[in-house]
mmCIF file of all heavy atoms in Angstrom:
data_model
loop_
_atom_site.group_PDB
_atom_site.id
_atom_site.type_symbol
_atom_site.label_atom_id
_atom_site.label_comp_id
_atom_site.label_asym_id
_atom_site.label_seq_id
_atom_site.Cartn_x
_atom_site.Cartn_y
_atom_site.Cartn_z
ATOM 1 N N GLU A 581 33.126 78.253 87.216
ATOM 2 C CA GLU A 581 31.668 78.189 87.130
ATOM 3 C C GLU A 581 31.202 78.446 85.706
ATOM 4 O O GLU A 581 30.323 77.755 85.178
ATOM 5 C CB GLU A 581 31.039 79.218 88.078
ATOM 6 C CG GLU A 581 30.987 78.783 89.527
ATOM 7 C CD GLU A 581 30.076 79.691 90.339
ATOM 8 O OE1 GLU A 581 28.851 79.668 90.098
ATOM 9 O OE2 GLU A 581 30.593 80.430 91.192
ATOM 10 N N LEU A 582 31.816 79.465 85.079
ATOM 11 C CA LEU A 582 31.429 79.799 83.708
ATOM 12 C C LEU A 582 31.697 78.647 82.755
ATOM 13 O O LEU A 582 30.887 78.369 81.866
ATOM 14 C CB LEU A 582 32.185 81.049 83.239
ATOM 15 C CG LEU A 582 31.680 82.381 83.795
ATOM 16 C CD1 LEU A 582 32.632 83.505 83.410
ATOM 17 C CD2 LEU A 582 30.280 82.685 83.282
ATOM 18 N N MET A 583 32.829 77.990 82.942
ATOM 19 C CA MET A 583 33.152 76.843 82.101
ATOM 20 C C MET A 583 32.084 75.764 82.234
ATOM 21 O O MET A 583 31.603 75.204 81.238
ATOM 22 C CB MET A 583 34.515 76.273 82.471
ATOM 23 C CG MET A 583 35.701 77.132 82.050
ATOM 24 S SD MET A 583 35.932 77.163 80.254
ATOM 25 C CE MET A 583 36.458 75.479 79.967
ATOM 26 N N ASN A 584 31.697 75.474 83.469
ATOM 27 C CA ASN A 584 30.682 74.441 83.710
ATOM 28 C C ASN A 584 29.325 74.837 83.125
ATOM 29 O O ASN A 584 28.657 74.038 82.460
ATOM 30 C CB ASN A 584 30.544 74.173 85.211
ATOM 31 C CG ASN A 584 31.777 73.511 85.786
ATOM 32 O OD1 ASN A 584 32.508 72.826 85.078
ATOM 33 N ND2 ASN A 584 32.029 73.723 87.065
ATOM 34 N N HIS A 585 28.924 76.092 83.389
ATOM 35 C CA HIS A 585 27.621 76.550 82.907
ATOM 36 C C HIS A 585 27.606 76.625 81.382
ATOM 37 O O HIS A 585 26.582 76.317 80.757
ATOM 38 C CB HIS A 585 27.272 77.903 83.508
ATOM 39 C CG HIS A 585 27.044 77.871 84.987
ATOM 40 N ND1 HIS A 585 26.200 76.969 85.591
ATOM 41 C CD2 HIS A 585 27.560 78.621 86.007
ATOM 42 C CE1 HIS A 585 26.192 77.163 86.893
ATOM 43 N NE2 HIS A 585 27.014 78.162 87.166
ATOM 44 N N TYR A 586 28.716 77.052 80.797
ATOM 45 C CA TYR A 586 28.776 77.129 79.333
ATOM 46 C C TYR A 586 28.668 75.728 78.726
ATOM 47 O O TYR A 586 27.953 75.524 77.732
ATOM 48 C CB TYR A 586 30.071 77.806 78.885
ATOM 49 C CG TYR A 586 30.230 77.871 77.384
ATOM 50 C CD1 TYR A 586 29.526 78.808 76.636
ATOM 51 C CD2 TYR A 586 31.081 76.991 76.718
ATOM 52 C CE1 TYR A 586 29.663 78.863 75.253
ATOM 53 C CE2 TYR A 586 31.218 77.045 75.340
ATOM 54 C CZ TYR A 586 30.512 77.985 74.615
ATOM 55 O OH TYR A 586 30.648 78.028 73.248
ATOM 56 N N TYR A 587 29.353 74.760 79.315
ATOM 57 C CA TYR A 587 29.272 73.384 78.821
ATOM 58 C C TYR A 587 27.837 72.875 78.919
ATOM 59 O O TYR A 587 27.309 72.266 77.977
ATOM 60 C CB TYR A 587 30.209 72.480 79.616
ATOM 61 C CG TYR A 587 30.037 71.015 79.288
ATOM 62 C CD1 TYR A 587 30.623 70.466 78.148
ATOM 63 C CD2 TYR A 587 29.268 70.185 80.105
ATOM 64 C CE1 TYR A 587 30.450 69.127 77.834
ATOM 65 C CE2 TYR A 587 29.088 68.846 79.798
ATOM 66 C CZ TYR A 587 29.691 68.318 78.663
ATOM 67 O OH TYR A 587 29.506 66.994 78.352
ATOM 68 N N GLU A 588 27.200 73.116 80.061
ATOM 69 C CA GLU A 588 25.820 72.658 80.243
ATOM 70 C C GLU A 588 24.884 73.366 79.254
ATOM 71 O O GLU A 588 23.930 72.761 78.744
ATOM 72 C CB GLU A 588 25.370 72.924 81.680
ATOM 73 C CG GLU A 588 26.099 72.046 82.704
ATOM 74 C CD GLU A 588 25.763 72.423 84.133
ATOM 75 O OE1 GLU A 588 24.910 73.319 84.316
ATOM 76 O OE2 GLU A 588 26.352 71.847 85.058
ATOM 77 N N TYR A 589 25.158 74.646 78.994
ATOM 78 C CA TYR A 589 24.341 75.381 78.030
ATOM 79 C C TYR A 589 24.453 74.747 76.648
ATOM 80 O O TYR A 589 23.442 74.514 75.972
ATOM 81 C CB TYR A 589 24.783 76.847 77.980
ATOM 82 C CG TYR A 589 23.887 77.720 77.131
ATOM 83 C CD1 TYR A 589 22.820 78.400 77.687
ATOM 84 C CD2 TYR A 589 24.112 77.860 75.760
ATOM 85 C CE1 TYR A 589 21.981 79.194 76.915
ATOM 86 C CE2 TYR A 589 23.279 78.648 74.975
ATOM 87 C CZ TYR A 589 22.228 79.316 75.558
ATOM 88 O OH TYR A 589 21.409 80.089 74.779
ATOM 89 N N GLU A 590 25.682 74.482 76.224
ATOM 90 C CA GLU A 590 25.893 73.909 74.896
ATOM 91 C C GLU A 590 25.285 72.506 74.800
ATOM 92 O O GLU A 590 24.749 72.123 73.754
ATOM 93 C CB GLU A 590 27.396 73.862 74.583
ATOM 94 C CG GLU A 590 28.019 75.228 74.367
ATOM 95 C CD GLU A 590 27.407 75.962 73.189
ATOM 96 O OE1 GLU A 590 27.275 75.354 72.111
ATOM 97 O OE2 GLU A 590 27.033 77.143 73.354
ATOM 98 N N TYR A 591 25.361 71.750 75.886
ATOM 99 C CA TYR A 591 24.772 70.406 75.885
ATOM 100 C C TYR A 591 23.246 70.497 75.744
ATOM 101 O O TYR A 591 22.635 69.745 74.980
ATOM 102 C CB TYR A 591 25.142 69.662 77.163
ATOM 103 C CG TYR A 591 24.571 68.262 77.229
ATOM 104 C CD1 TYR A 591 25.158 67.221 76.513
ATOM 105 C CD2 TYR A 591 23.444 67.990 77.996
ATOM 106 C CE1 TYR A 591 24.630 65.939 76.555
ATOM 107 C CE2 TYR A 591 22.911 66.714 78.054
ATOM 108 C CZ TYR A 591 23.508 65.686 77.330
ATOM 109 O OH TYR A 591 22.981 64.425 77.373
ATOM 110 N N THR A 592 22.641 71.433 76.496
ATOM 111 C CA THR A 592 21.188 71.617 76.402
ATOM 112 C C THR A 592 20.798 72.119 75.016
ATOM 113 O O THR A 592 19.761 71.729 74.472
ATOM 114 C CB THR A 592 20.702 72.608 77.475
ATOM 115 O OG1 THR A 592 21.151 72.168 78.764
ATOM 116 C CG2 THR A 592 19.181 72.699 77.493
ATOM 117 N N LEU A 593 21.644 72.989 74.439
ATOM 118 C CA LEU A 593 21.384 73.480 73.090
ATOM 119 C C LEU A 593 21.406 72.326 72.090
ATOM 120 O O LEU A 593 20.583 72.276 71.160
ATOM 121 C CB LEU A 593 22.419 74.539 72.707
ATOM 122 C CG LEU A 593 22.294 75.152 71.317
ATOM 123 C CD1 LEU A 593 20.932 75.804 71.138
ATOM 124 C CD2 LEU A 593 23.409 76.172 71.086
ATOM 125 N N LYS A 594 22.324 71.395 72.292
ATOM 126 C CA LYS A 594 22.368 70.213 71.413
ATOM 127 C C LYS A 594 21.063 69.415 71.542
ATOM 128 O O LYS A 594 20.504 68.947 70.545
ATOM 129 C CB LYS A 594 23.557 69.342 71.776
ATOM 130 C CG LYS A 594 23.641 68.030 70.988
ATOM 131 C CD LYS A 594 24.797 67.175 71.468
ATOM 132 C CE LYS A 594 24.818 65.836 70.746
ATOM 133 N NZ LYS A 594 23.599 65.044 70.972
ATOM 134 N N GLN A 595 20.587 69.251 72.788
ATOM 135 C CA GLN A 595 19.316 68.549 72.982
ATOM 136 C C GLN A 595 18.172 69.282 72.276
ATOM 137 O O GLN A 595 17.296 68.653 71.684
ATOM 138 C CB GLN A 595 19.010 68.434 74.480
ATOM 139 C CG GLN A 595 19.921 67.489 75.245
ATOM 140 C CD GLN A 595 19.554 67.429 76.710
ATOM 141 O OE1 GLN A 595 19.510 68.457 77.396
ATOM 142 N NE2 GLN A 595 19.264 66.245 77.203
#
Side-chain angles (χ1 to χ4, degrees):
E581 280 193 67
L582 284 172
M583 288 290 291
N584 292 334
H585 293 309
Y586 178 77
Y587 172 80
E588 291 174 4
Y589 187 92
E590 291 299 312
Y591 180 78
T592 306
L593 180 58
K594 176 184 176 299
Q595 290 180 304

